[in-house]
């Protein structure tokens, strides 16, 4: 199997009308966060269906897809990578060398700017980097959170979803406190979303303690996302502290 075959399979289900819509939806216009991103018009379910046919695609071919200017090529590569990491992580046949290879490959793609829109981050960070770091030192997330690159910071925060799902909110809370002054609305949404999940999946009191300390400093969008599942009265109380 080759990257060219993946590209051909995606081209077969591409729609020019959807390409126009996706270009607008993912803010690929001049001066927008996805400036320069190119779409051929393949919706996510179709991309997933194509990716499913190419399990086991070699890493050099995945790299070729990730280096494409076409958004759907990069998304397909990440979906395939997720599956490869899942297979290498199965308890009955866990392959730590393979897991490390795949995590390093992913981190390299992030640092080379190939995981460069919010859907690419959100569909991969927790499933590869987050899962890999669950039982390892997480210093790399501190490095990513301090990056000048929006997508690297988002990868740091979204990777912690893997920890939240296991009942560990510590890294999420730490990164959220460090990113309170982030200038990007997409980061406000990401941090608020993960804080909301802390309250829902880990411990509501952990979320409330964070809000008690930081609500006056939190950007409006971050606070709104973080408090979405709380009662209207409690949400109003925290909003009033800004």
């Amino acid at each position: 199997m080759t990257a060219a075959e993946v590209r051909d399979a995606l081209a077969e289900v591409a729609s020019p009308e959807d390409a126009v819509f996706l270009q607008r939806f993912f803010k690929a216009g001049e001066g927008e966060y996805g400036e320069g991103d190119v779409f051929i018009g393949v919706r996510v379910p179709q991309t997933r269906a194509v990716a499913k046919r190419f399990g086991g695609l070699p890493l050099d071919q995945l790299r070729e897809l990730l280096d494409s200017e076409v958004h759907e090529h990069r998304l397909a590569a990440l979906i395939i990578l997720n599956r490869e990491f899942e297979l290498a992580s199965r308890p009955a046949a866990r392959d730590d060398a393979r897991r490390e290879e795949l995590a390093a490959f992913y981190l390299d793609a992030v640092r080379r700017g190939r995981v460069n829109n919010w859907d690419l981050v959100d569909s991969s960070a927790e499933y590869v980097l987050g899962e890999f770091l669950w039982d390892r030192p997480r210093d790399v997330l501190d490095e990513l959170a301090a990056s000048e690159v929006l997508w690297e910071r988002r990868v740091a925060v979204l990777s912690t979803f893997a920890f939240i799902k296991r009942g560990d909110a510590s890294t999420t809370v730490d990164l959220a406190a460090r990113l309170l002054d982030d200038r990007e609305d997409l980061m406000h949404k990401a941090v608020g979303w993960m804080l909301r999940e802390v309250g829902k999946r880990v411990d509501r009191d952990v979320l409330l303690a964070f809000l008690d300390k930081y609500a006056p400093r939190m950007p409006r969008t971050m606070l709104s996302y973080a408090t979405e599942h709380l009662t209207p009265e409690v949400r109003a109380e925290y909003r009033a502290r800004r």
Side-chain angles (χ1 to χ4, degrees), residues 172-174 176-177 180 191 195 205-215 218 222:
T172 307
V173 169
D174 177 61
L180 287 172
V191 172
L195 287 172
D205 288 342
V206 172
L207 170 61
L208 295 180
F210 185 93
L211 295 173
D212 287 341
K213 185 174 182 179
Y214 294 113
M218 292 173 72
M222 186 187 297

Side-chain angles (χ1 to χ4, degrees), residues 160-222:
T160 72
F161 207 173
F163 314 150
I164 292 169
K165 289 177 178 178
R166 288 180 168 85
D168 178 3
S170 59
T171 305
T172 307
V173 169
D174 177 61
L175 293 182
R178 292 177 52 189
L179 292 165
L180 287 172
D181 299 321
D182 198 287
R183 63 189 179 277
E184 297 286 352
D185 187 64
L186 280 173
M187 287 305 300
H188 302 167
K189 292 176 179 178
V191 172
W193 172 22
M194 290 300 99
L195 287 172
R196 181 186 72 211
E197 295 301 322
V198 167
K200 290 170 58 178
R201 297 171 181 261
V202 182
D203 190 334
R204 184 173 182 269
D205 288 342
V206 172
L207 170 61
L208 295 180
F210 185 93
L211 295 173
D212 287 341
K213 185 174 182 179
Y214 294 113
R217 285 185 53 198
M218 292 173 72
R220 187 177 301 277
T221 299
M222 186 187 297

Side-chain angles (χ1 to χ4, degrees), residues 32 46 51 58 81 83 97-98 105 120 127 156 158 165 172 178 181 200 207 216 227 236 238:
E32 296 181 306
Q46 295 170 303
L81 184 63
R83 178 60 174 165
R98 177 65 168 167
F105 178 87
L120 302 179
Y127 302 108
L158 265 294
K165 289 177 178 178
T172 307
R178 292 177 52 189
D181 299 321
K200 290 170 58 178
L207 170 61
T227 58
Y238 283 116

Side-chain angles (χ1 to χ4, degrees), residues 78-99:
L78 292 170
I79 293 169
I80 295 168
L81 184 63
N82 289 349
R83 178 60 174 165
E84 291 301 301
F85 192 86
E86 179 188 353
L87 291 173
S89 302
R90 288 183 171 179
R94 181 178 169 112
D95 185 341
D96 285 327
R98 177 65 168 167
R99 293 174 84 248

Side-chain angles (χ1 to χ4, degrees), residues 83-126:
R83 178 60 174 165
E84 291 301 301
F85 192 86
E86 179 188 353
L87 291 173
S89 302
R90 288 183 171 179
R94 181 178 169 112
D95 185 341
D96 285 327
R98 177 65 168 167
R99 293 174 84 248
E100 188 161 354
E101 178 185 37
L102 295 171
F105 178 87
Y106 177 74
L107 189 56
D108 175 69
V110 170
R111 287 173 165 160
R112 291 191 301 108
R114 309 318 300 156
V115 186
N116 56 348
N117 213 316
W118 61 262
D119 66 315
L120 302 179
V121 172
D122 297 4
S123 63
S124 61
E126 66 168 293

